[in-house]
Amino acid sequence: MPNEQSELDAWLTGADLADGDPADAMPWVADFDPDRQMVLRRLGPYQKYYPRPKRFIKRFYHRLYPLAIAYWPQRKQIKLFDEFCTLDLRLELRFQATFDYAMKNLDRLEHLNEHIKQRYADIVEDVVQRELTNLADGAWIQNGLNAVEARMALALAETFVQQSLQAQAMCRIDVEFSEFESVKLGRDSVYLNVLRKTYEFNRDRTLELARQQRLLEQEEIVERRRQLEHLAQTAELDLQAQAIEADKQCRLLAAQQGQLAEQLALEKRLQVERLRHEMELQEMRQEAELRSQEKQAARRRLAESLHLADQLAHQAAQHEKQVAADIQRRLREQHLRQTSLLNDEGLNHDNQTE
């Protein structure tokens, strides 16, 4: 009995909520390394990234990229129970990139922490929003928010660890009630439970009114649906008439298209015939021109042959004249020699006679 009385007193005063810590488990230890750095060794066109060893001497071809511990505070408010309750969330998040994460994001080493914030901002928002949404059931009014804070911090740390990031989160949620600012969570849990019951009664009444309103809306929806069905039937008839007219227009267009195709085929055949006729005329003109050219060439060759024959005949006549002249000249010379010889013989004879 004394035990039951003490438990009741503790429940009424909220001591079990204020003194007990639901997050008695070991806190998440991130094991940050403030000296964590990546080393870039560049020699000419060759380069290599690797974690900085313990015994390291920096050379001119080395470049260091510190993997600093980043501090990422966030603050968010959420209102519950028709803004009767305001939750103020203060989140202190620290993280540090591991060597594995850095090796996967070498092109962002100079601004790696900013890249991490931009990349995982939505994930952090989802985790926080999921935990805050679970508070809408009001169970935390009796149990407190320590477990929620620890669960949110652990969820964030695990989310970052799954991405090869070391992280440690600290979460603090403060509660304010708009009409009872002096009410403190935990110590006044009984009073808060009464408020919660009042809120649940008002909520149930509001839900019932909403249900009745939905019934009226459903009846109105049914009536509108009936009217829409009538309109749909009318529209269906119009669509059928339009479909018949469209089919008629399609058949007419098909007939016109057939006629157009036949006309195009006829024009194509006429064009082909005209082209063939023009080609034949062209060939005939070319053949006539070739024949004319051949005749002209034959005439030219005949004229050249006649001219050459005339030249040869003239040359032969000139040659004959020259030969005849040479013969006459030689005969005259022979006659003169013979006459001279005769004269010489006559003189000799006379001389002998004397």
Side-chain angles (χ1 to χ4, degrees), residues 19 38 42 67 100 105 124 136 166 178 189 191 232 252 269 272 297 305 318 328 348:
D19 299 336
M38 289 291 295
R42 177 177 295 170
L67 302 181
D100 292 339
N105 297 271
V124 172
Q166 290 179 289
S178 59
S189 59
Y191 183 64
L252 180 60
R269 288 195 299 271
V272 171
S305 299
Q318 293 293 330
Q328 290 295 330
N348 290 333

Side-chain angles (χ1 to χ4, degrees), residues 78-82 85 87 128-141 145 148 151 196 199-200 203:
I78 183 174
K79 296 183 180 295
L80 299 176
F81 312 133
D82 298 332
C85 175
L87 301 179
V128 172
Q129 191 64 33
R130 183 172 62 251
E131 294 297 336
L132 293 179
T133 303
N134 293 334
L135 300 179
D137 58 0
W140 55 272
I141 294 178
L145 292 170
V148 177
R151 186 168 58 249
R196 179 186 175 188
Y199 167 77
E200 290 177 353
R203 183 190 61 188

Side-chain angles (χ1 to χ4, degrees), residues 52 62 74 80 132 182 193 198 211 316 321 338 341 354:
R52 177 180 178 177
H62 287 148
Q74 296 191 32
L80 299 176
L132 293 179
S182 60
N193 282 329
T198 303
R211 188 185 66 82
K321 289 180 180 180
Q338 290 176 357
L341 289 175
E354 291 179 356

Side-chain angles (χ1 to χ4, degrees), residues 252-314:
L252 180 60
L253 289 175
Q256 293 177 354
Q257 186 175 4
Q259 294 176 359
L260 180 60
E262 292 178 357
Q263 182 178 358
L264 291 175
L266 179 59
E267 292 179 355
K268 184 177 180 181
R269 288 195 299 271
L270 294 175
Q271 182 70 15
V272 171
E273 290 294 332
R274 184 169 58 254
L275 291 175
R276 185 177 61 81
H277 181 65
E278 290 179 356
M279 291 178 64
E280 290 178 353
L281 291 177
Q282 184 69 20
E283 291 177 355
M284 293 173 64
R285 286 194 296 268
Q286 290 178 356
E287 290 178 358
E289 185 177 356
L290 289 175
R291 286 195 297 270
S292 177
Q293 292 176 357
E294 289 177 355
K295 289 180 180 180
Q296 291 177 2
R299 292 194 187 107
R300 187 170 55 254
R301 288 194 298 271
L302 179 59
E304 291 176 353
S305 299
L306 293 174
H307 180 68
L308 181 59
D310 292 339
Q311 288 181 349
L312 293 175
H314 178 70

Side-chain angles (χ1 to χ4, degrees), residues 328-343:
Q328 290 295 330
R329 181 177 54 79
R330 290 177 182 176
L331 289 174
R332 283 194 302 271
E333 289 178 354
Q334 186 178 6
H335 178 70
L336 289 174
R337 282 195 301 269
Q338 290 176 357
T339 302
S340 177
L341 289 175
L342 291 174
N343 290 333

